[in-house]
Structures are given as structure tokens and as C-alpha cells.
Amino acid sequence: MSELQITWFFIIALLLAVYAVLDGFDLGVGIWHLFAKGDGERRSLLNIIGPVWDGNEVWLVTGGGALFAAFPHVYATVFSAMYIPLMLVLLGLILRAVSIEFRSHEESPAWRGKWDAAFAFGSALPALLFGVAMGNILRGMPVGVSRNFEGTLLTLLNPYALLIGLTGFVMLAMHGALFIALNAEGELASRARRWAQAAWMAFIALLIASLAASLLLPQLRLNYEAFPLLWALPASVLGCAVAAGILSMRGVALAAFIASSLTVFGTMALVMASIFPRMVYSLGKPGLSLTVANASSSERTLGVMLIMALIGMPIVIGYTIWVYRVFFGAKSAENGY
């Protein structure tokens, strides 16, 4: 492995982790959308994410583009294997965007009700499928000599991947509820704290189950056996998750949301630490696994990309910070987007 290959593995990991934190609460807000009472509260929820949701999705596009350019063999194998799930994710993201823009074009309750349902469905579906995809990356997939996926859709819907998918779904539901509690007012904020508590209790149970199930997979234990200090990662994730719930119960909204963000970020770090240097583990044929070393672009390509990233990423980071500073604070049906 070269330094550039390792660098790009961690850059892509960082991009996807930031996406999980930022768009994670967008998806979480959408999961609770139909639980809001009346048109006013639902409008408030849209106002809460209105200024930032499209900017948050830039991190997904950037991460996907970086994966395509830096590790094209991984991109080809994963995206061909998960073609149907990823098309469903794309459908969900399109529904969310269209719903936000079209919902207020008519006053009709029936019109708004349909778009509200589309927004909730378009948020819940990606939240679940992203976790299922991550579960398959952790577990591994049947990969052949030609680096093609040798399974079916049912192969991807295995119990471990579904457990990880459900865990991720509940985690984002908690994350979104805490973001609502931080940005909403009055009864909606109080209800969001109750949503967060319900999701938190389910998440803690599922997180422990997921960590236990992951320990049964030999390939996921390799790095932890070689570097025992890595055990601090799952301990930190669990600690941040517990802190998020306790802080929420105490009504410390900002601290609870920060703890939740660290939980999401730490979960992604945990995934990357578990699979490195493998990017696609080949079930039954470990020798055919796609790794950082054998699936990357040329050194020259990686070098040019690094220069572009060093120029472009500070701009994206600066813009993101500016937007959050400008739109920070409580929002209602009357103010926001």
C-alpha cells in the first residue's frame, strides 16, 4: 500500500462520515414527519432543515465521486451488486427534494398530505438502506475472479445486514429527533425529546446487538486483535450514545445533539477501522477481496486528485460552517426556509 492509497481511503471515510452526520439528521427529521401534529408543525420541520438539506447531500455526491475516481474497482463492484437498493435510495432522495419544493404550492390538505407521505417515505427508505449496504460491506459479499458480484438481491438481505440496517435507521431517527429538539419551539420541541428517548432506548439495544454480532465475523476482529487500542472506538461510540440519551433527558439540547453527532461519526469510524485495508471482503474467497492496494487508481491520478481536494474541500467546509452559523436558532412555521 502506498501513502496516497491510504490517504484516499481515509479521505473517503471522512467524506462519508460527515455526510452521515449532516444528512443523517435530515433523514431523521423526515422519519418523524408524519408524527407531527397538523400542517403548522410539519411546516416547522421542513423549515428546520430547509436551509441546509441540499448542502448536506453535497457530501454524499463528493464521497461517491471520490470513490469512483480513487477506487474504481470498488465502485464498480459495489454499485453493480447493490444496483436495485441504490436506485431505491436515489428514488427516496428525489422524493424528499420534490416534496420539500412542491408541498406548499397548493393549500389543499389532500395535496399536502400526499407530499408529506412522500417526504417521510423518501427519508425512511434511504435511512434503512444505507445501513443495510453498510452491513453487507462489513459482512462481505461473494466476489468472483472478474471482481463481479456473484449473488442476488436476497444475498444482500441477510440477517446481519438487516440488523445493521435497523440499527442505522434507529440511530438516525434519534439523531433527527435531537436536531428537532434543538431547533424547534414549544410543544414540538417537547414532543421531539420524547421521540428521541424512544429511539434512544431502541438504539442502545440494537447497538449492543450489532457489536456482539460483529464480533462473530473473523475478518472484523483482525485489526482489533493486531491493535488492541482500537477497542477504544466501540467503547467511545457506546459512551457517546449513552451520553446523548442522558443529556436529552436533562433537557440539554445542544450537548445531546453534539453527543449524537459524535455517535454517528464514531459509528462510521468504527466501520472503516474494521474493514481496513479491505474495502470489499470476498465471502468464501478472501484472496479475491478488493483492498486499498489492489483496487485503486494510478499514483498519478491519486496525486492530482489530492491537489484538487486540498483546494476544494476547504471551500465546501467554509461554506457549510457559514450556512449553519447564519441559520442557527429556533425555527417555526412562520420563519426559516
Side-chain angles (χ1 to χ4, degrees), residues 17 19-32 123-131 165-180 196 199-200 203 257 260 263-265 267-268:
Y19 169 74
V21 173
L22 297 183
D23 206 38
F25 66 72
D26 286 344
L27 296 174
V29 170
I31 290 170
W32 297 110
S123 300
L125 187 63
L128 177 64
L129 291 180
F130 278 136
L166 187 57
T167 304
F169 178 87
V170 176
M171 178 177 69
L172 296 187
M174 176 191 73
H175 194 43
L178 291 173
F179 189 72
I180 298 170
W200 174 73
F203 174 58
F257 178 71
S260 177
T263 301
V264 177
F265 190 91
T267 299
M268 293 299 295

Side-chain angles (χ1 to χ4, degrees), residues 45-232:
L45 293 183
L46 295 179
N47 285 346
I48 285 171
I49 66 169
V52 297
W53 71 268
D54 46 356
N56 292 343
E57 291 188 354
V58 168
W59 293 90
L60 177 62
V61 176
T62 306
L67 179 65
F68 171 76
F71 299 100
H73 299 296
V74 174
Y75 183 94
T77 299
V78 171
F79 275 66
S80 60
M82 301 184 184
Y83 185 82
I84 294 177
L86 289 173
M87 288 301 101
L88 291 174
V89 166
L90 183 59
L91 171 64
L93 296 178
I94 291 172
L95 282 175
R96 292 177 74 242
V98 174
S99 301
I100 291 172
E101 299 299 335
F102 278 26
R103 180 185 185 276
S104 297
H105 284 196
E106 290 189 20
E107 297 291 335
S108 166
W111 171 270
R112 292 189 173 186
K114 290 176 182 178
W115 289 118
D116 285 335
F119 177 68
F121 176 77
S123 300
L125 187 63
L128 177 64
L129 291 180
F130 278 136
V132 172
M134 198 60 65
N136 280 288
I137 293 296
L138 286 165
R139 175 178 177 267
M141 298 184 292
V143 178
V145 176
S146 58
R147 293 176 170 172
N148 289 328
F149 175 65
E150 295 185 338
T152 65
L153 179 60
L154 292 179
T155 305
L156 302 176
L157 299 178
N158 57 82
Y160 177 79
L162 292 175
L163 172 62
I164 299 299
L166 187 57
T167 304
F169 178 87
V170 176
M171 178 177 69
L172 296 187
M174 176 191 73
H175 194 43
L178 291 173
F179 189 72
I180 298 170
L182 177 63
N183 288 276
E185 299 174 322
E187 179 58 30
L188 179 57
S190 299
R191 194 176 300 114
R193 285 191 289 272
R194 293 195 292 271
W195 295 340
Q197 285 303 305
W200 174 73
M201 289 187 288
F203 174 58
I204 292 297
L206 287 168
L207 177 60
I208 293 172
S210 296
L211 291 173
S214 297
L215 289 176
L216 300 177
L217 300 178
Q219 72 272 18
L220 298 183
R221 298 197 303 266
L222 293 175
N223 289 340
Y224 295 90
E225 292 169 353
F227 304 99
L229 283 177
L230 286 178
W231 287 106

